Amino acid sequence: MGDLIAEQLVSRETMTALQEFEALVRKWTKSINLVAPSTINDIWDRHIVDSAQIFKYAPDSFRTWTDIGSGGGFPGIVVAIMAREHHPTSRFTFIESDRRKATFLRTAIRTFDLRAAVLDQRIEQAVPQQADVVSARALTSLSMMFEMLQRHLSPQGIAVLHKGRRHDNEVAEARKLWRFELEEHASLTDPEARILAIQGIQSATD
């Protein structure tokens, strides 16, 4: 599925960096569980391509991007590598409470010379980021995530989230507690998954 990344109009330099990031993940996964063992042989499609596809849903004007629960750098490091080419002045923040994974993220930032920083704290305790974009992948249910999103998004910001086959149920549950604008996009890597672009998050009781 490398052509799916090529469709994002990335340069050969960016493609090479993404391939080098794949190799870095493979190396570190020998000692840290960065990705599920069942997906280690399919990192490119299951993780890198899956992460890269969200980049086009960020507004062209974004300057700050916060990735919450960054784990092994999916999607955070992937989109930060892509941003070097398309948004070279934008800054990224990765929030990851696991110290070993935070160390990996800092290593990736140095390796690929990214404009990024890591907060090794819990998402709900980190300083509010007021980010233009907040991303998350395989974190928690949508309704539980909204307080985190509201904490770290700017009022005009957009959340771009990976959601699996239960996305319809999660949206329905979230609407009981929250008001929000939603756009759903088909996933390029899983026909049952969706990319959710969410704005205007407010508590239903406000």
Side-chain angles (χ1 to χ4, degrees):
M1 291 187 184
D3 57 330
L4 297 180
I5 291 184
E7 289 176 7
Q8 306 272 353
L9 302 179
V10 302
S11 65
R12 180 176 298 177
E13 179 184 3
T14 296
M15 183 69 77
T16 297
L18 292 172
Q19 292 167 340
E20 291 173 354
F21 178 59
E22 177 188 12
L24 187 67
V25 172
R26 288 182 183 277
K27 177 181 177 181
W28 277 66
T29 296
K30 294 175 182 177
S31 56
I32 299 177
N33 187 26
L34 295 177
V35 298
S38 61
T39 66
I40 190 66
N41 293 323
D42 196 21
I43 291 177
W44 186 259
D45 290 347
R46 289 286 297 274
H47 298 292
I48 293 180
V49 173
D50 192 47
S51 296
Q53 67 175 319
I54 74 169
F55 192 80
K56 64 182 178 183
Y57 300 120
D60 290 338
S61 59
F62 87 84
R63 298 183 62 82
T64 56
W65 185 313
T66 295
D67 186 56
I68 59 176
S70 298
F74 304 108
I77 295 293
V78 173
V79 292
I81 288 173
M82 296 174 71
R84 294 189 312 179
E85 180 178 351
H86 296 288
H87 294 270
T89 63
S90 296
R91 291 199 60 84
F92 288 76
T93 300
F94 307 133
I95 303 179
E96 173 53 55
S97 61
D98 185 307
R99 297 296 176 89
R100 296 180 305 163
K101 291 178 180 177
T103 297
F104 168 76
L105 294 169
R106 292 188 178 102
T107 299
I109 288 169
R110 291 194 301 271
T111 300
F112 300 104
D113 193 25
L114 304 177
R115 290 174 55 86
V118 179
L119 300 179
D120 50 0
Q121 299 171 279
R122 294 182 62 83
I123 299 164
E124 61 272 24
Q125 295 173 344
V127 173
Q129 296 298 301
Q130 291 291 298
D132 299 322
V133 183
V134 172
S135 57
R137 182 174 181 261
L139 184 58
T140 187
S141 68
L142 196 58
S143 59
M144 294 182 66
M145 202 183 305
F146 269 17
E147 283 192 17
M148 303 177 193
L149 297 176
Q150 194 176 49
R151 179 178 181 84
H152 294 294
L153 268 176
S154 72
Q156 293 77 38
I158 182 170
V160 186
L161 313 172
H162 290 80
K163 279 295 166 186
R165 65 186 64 181
R166 286 180 47 81
H167 59 274
D168 284 341
N169 292 337
E170 290 195 30
V171 170
E173 285 297 314
R175 289 202 183 278
K176 296 176 182 178
L177 300 173
W178 300 90
R179 296 195 300 269
F180 52 94
E181 301 169 20
L182 170 67
E183 288 187 5
E184 291 191 18
H185 304 279
S187 169
L188 299 176
T189 59
D190 182 349
E192 294 187 314
R194 294 291 184 273
I195 306 300
L196 306 185
I198 297 174
Q199 291 178 283
I201 297 172
Q202 289 185 307
S203 171
T205 59
D206 289 347

